[in-house]
């Protein structure tokens, strides 16, 4: 049941990315170009995501445990450290340069594979380097 719900959630997420055109780098870059030819359409996508996220927290606060798990897994850290700042900056630079963030980058493999394959390859290498560096630091 967990696998089915996970699959359906991922499918819904991917469809949402496609329908909102977040898989189109030109739309995303137009949204990020606030001093040029700004395209504010993704504000509605983000607003919808925030609204659904808030609804999720309302549901969480009314239930003692999730439907398909033994406990809630909610982030507890609230500090802002150098890794958060550096990682956020790297994410933003990559998003601004490519027009892709990880979810839309993966979905773009189906509608723009010639371009997206480079992004996804770099994403995998970057994640691997982080894992290697983090594993080495914790050993």
């Amino acid at each position: 049941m967990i696998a089915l719900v996970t699959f359906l959630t991922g499918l819904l997420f991917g469809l949402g990315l496609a329908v909102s055109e977040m898989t189109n780098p030109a739309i995303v870059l137009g949204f990020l170009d606030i001093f040029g030819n700004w395209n504010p359409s993704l504000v509605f996508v983000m607003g919808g995501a925030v609204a659904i996220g808030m609804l999720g927290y309302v549901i969480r606060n009314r239930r003692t445990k999730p439907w398909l798990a033994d406990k809630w897994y909610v982030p507890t850290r609230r500090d802002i450290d150098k890794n958060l700042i550096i990682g956020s900056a790297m994410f933003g630079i990559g998003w601004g340069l490519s027009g892709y963030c990880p979810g839309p980058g993966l979905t773009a493999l189906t509608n723009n594979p010639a371009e997206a394959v480079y992004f996804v390859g770099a994403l995998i290498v970057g994640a691997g380097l982080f894992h290697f560096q983090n594993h080495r630091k914790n050993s």
Side-chain angles (χ1 to χ4, degrees), residues 16-17 19-22 27 40-51:
L17 291 174
V19 169
S20 67
E21 293 192 78
M22 285 201 63
I27 299 291
S41 62
L42 294 185
V43 169
F44 297 103
V45 176
M46 291 183 187
V50 168

Side-chain angles (χ1 to χ4, degrees), residues 9-115:
T9 303
L11 182 64
L12 180 63
F13 180 74
L15 288 171
L17 291 174
V19 169
S20 67
E21 293 192 78
M22 285 201 63
T23 58
N24 182 347
I27 299 291
V28 174
L29 291 172
F31 172 72
L32 295 173
D33 187 12
I34 58 174
F35 298 113
N37 191 17
W38 187 53
N39 177 353
S41 62
L42 294 185
V43 169
F44 297 103
V45 176
M46 291 183 187
V50 168
I52 295 298
M54 291 171 66
L55 178 62
Y57 273 97
V58 168
I59 292 169
R60 178 193 167 262
N61 290 335
R62 292 185 179 174
R63 297 186 51 84
T64 56
K65 71 178 201 102
W67 287 296
L68 299 174
D70 294 330
K71 67 176 189 170
W72 293 104
Y73 294 92
V74 178
T76 57
R77 284 188 61 179
R78 297 191 182 274
D79 59 318
I80 297 174
D81 64 359
K82 82 172 182 182
N83 287 343
L84 177 63
I85 292 169
I86 292 169
S88 299
M90 290 171 68
F91 180 91
I93 290 167
W95 193 26
L97 289 173
S98 69
Y100 290 121
C101 67
L106 291 172
T107 62
L109 285 172
T110 62
N111 63 0
N112 192 6
E115 184 179 297

